[in-house]
Structures are given as C-alpha cells and as structure tokens.
Amino acid sequence: LFQKACCGKTNYDDCGTYGTDDGWYNSSWKCPINDYSDKPFQTVGEYVAEAGCDEPSAWSDWDLKDAVFYCTDVPDCTITCGGPNKDIIRTTTEQCGCMLEWLIHAVWVKFSLAAVIYILMNVSRMLFTRACCKVFWEHLSPKVFTYTATCDEKGRVLAPEKADQFHHFTGEDGALKSELDRTLARYVEAAKWEVLFAALLNVPWIVFLSLVDHTLTYDPNAQS
C-alpha cells in the first residue's frame, strides 16, 4: 500500500517500476507523510530491519536495576494553575444543597398530597354513592319497611302519642303512614346534604393544586 501511494517520492521508486495498470498506477491513495521529516514513512520492513530493533538481544536486559535516585536534583514543578474558582464552587454548592432540600420536600409533599387526595376522593365517593341511593330510594328499594311497635299483654298495638288525631293507626290515612312520610322526608333531606358535602370534599385539593401548580417545578435560578 505504501508503494502504491508513495511511488515517485523519497525512498520509493518511480511509479512505473511497480506497473502501469489502472489499479496501481492511477490509484487515488494518499501517501502518509512524517510531519517531523516532511518525508514519506518507509515500509514496515525498513523499520524492522533497523539495527536498533535488535538491541538488546534478551528481554531480561530491559529490567530496571536497583539504583539510588537523588530527588534534590529534580527541578521543582512550576505551578501554572491558579487553583479552583471559589465563586463557581460556592454557587454550585449552594445550588446542589438547595436542590437536595427541594427534592426532600418535594418527595414528602408529593406522597402527603397523594395520600390526602386519595383519602378525600374515596370518602367523597362513598358518601356520594350512599347519599344518591338514599335520594333515589323509591327506585332502588321494594318499598317495604320495618318499624318498632309497642303492644300490651293481649297483643294489641299501642299507638304512639297524637295517634288519636287519626281515624286509623295503619293504612293510607293512618298515624303510621303519617310518621313514615315524615321519616322519609327527613331521610331524603339529610341525603341531599350528604351529596353536597361529598362534592365539597374535593374542593380543598382542587383549589390547592390550582394555586401551587406554578411552584411544582424546581428552578435553581430562582434561589436567592
């Protein structure tokens, strides 16, 4: 390869010596030049044939022998570096400390908020579902009720107070129906308030996240 690329230059024969075929004579390979001598490098065989490559004849001759070194004869090193930049180190250290502090706070706040939001959402879900079942009880129940009554020794039901205002104790116009209507009205009214309370349970964490969303991203340049 060296012959093809360096033919006609120092230490190499003319290109015609190696042949005139296109693959050889008109090759576009570049000749490697030694920057120290401005001459082409010789072939590997030329360097191997150097007499210096034959010395020493045994590898053991390359071993270092025990000797005494005079360190005082070694010149002192000239320090050319002015040392680390203290301002840069101070600024970087402050930023690293602030970033670590922010990371600890962020992890704690993240898990705390996640736990609070999880609890509020699940409590809200359970209250809302239960309240909706109470509000729409007419569509979700067989409309059969169990009540506690008082009877005498003969098994006759004793009507509650103010039952004498009605002609009957049971039936559509009876005292029991009137008391049932009032109980169901209170039952539905309380359920409506539970629906509102369940919805309001989500307000705190929604408002909180909307107020602090711009501070959730760490910015080291914002540190004072």
Side-chain angles (χ1 to χ4, degrees):
L1 297 179
F2 281 91
Q3 293 175 347
K4 292 182 180 180
C6 301
C7 62
K9 294 181 174 58
T10 305
N11 298 325
Y12 289 90
D13 297 332
D14 294 334
C15 294
T17 305
Y18 306 111
T20 57
D21 58 305
D22 291 338
W24 178 278
Y25 191 76
N26 295 322
S27 63
S28 59
W29 296 333
K30 294 182 179 179
C31 180
I33 303 298
N34 190 333
D35 295 334
Y36 294 100
S37 63
D38 292 330
K39 296 179 181 180
F41 284 101
Q42 298 182 21
T43 60
V44 178
E46 295 292 336
Y47 290 110
V48 174
E50 289 288 338
C53 294
D54 297 331
E55 297 294 338
S57 58
W59 286 105
S60 59
D61 295 338
W62 290 98
D63 296 338
L64 292 177
K65 304 298 189 296
D66 293 335
V68 177
F69 297 91
Y70 297 95
C71 298
T72 55
D73 294 341
V74 180
D76 296 334
C77 296
T78 302
I79 300 176
T80 58
C81 176
N85 191 316
K86 295 184 178 180
D87 293 334
I88 295 178
I89 293 178
R90 184 182 301 107
T91 303
T92 305
T93 303
E94 290 178 356
Q95 289 185 354
C96 291
C98 292
M99 183 176 294
L100 178 60
E101 181 181 1
W102 171 85
L103 178 61
I104 296 174
H105 291 170
V107 171
W108 180 82
V109 171
K110 179 178 69 174
F111 284 102
S112 299
L113 284 179
V116 171
I117 293 174
Y118 176 81
I119 294 173
L120 289 177
M121 291 183 66
N122 279 275
V123 171
S124 173
R125 175 181 59 82
M126 291 185 292
L127 290 178
F128 182 81
T129 303
R130 185 175 65 179
C132 287
C133 292
K134 292 180 180 180
V135 172
F136 301 102
W137 68 268
E138 294 183 89
H139 307 282
L140 301 173
S141 69
K143 299 181 181 180
V144 177
F145 304 95
T146 301
Y147 70 97
T148 302
T150 305
C151 65
D152 59 11
E153 59 182 1
K154 295 182 179 180
R156 293 175 296 186
V157 176
L158 301 178
E161 296 181 2
K162 301 181 181 180
D164 54 353
Q165 301 177 4
F166 301 89
H167 296 288
H168 307 283
F169 178 69
T170 60
E172 294 185 359
D173 297 330
L176 183 59
K177 178 64 167 62
S178 177
E179 186 64 27
L180 177 62
D181 290 340
R182 287 197 298 269
T183 301
L184 289 176
R186 292 193 300 268
Y187 182 79
V188 173
E189 186 67 22
K192 292 179 180 179
W193 284 105
E194 289 183 14
V195 171
L196 179 61
F197 178 72
L200 292 178
L201 279 178
N202 294 288
V203 174
W205 66 267
I206 294 176
V207 173
F208 177 78
L209 291 182
S210 64
L211 293 177
V212 301
D213 60 343
H214 63 284
T215 63
L216 298 180
T217 303
Y218 174 73
D219 183 10
N221 298 322
Q223 301 297 325
S224 58

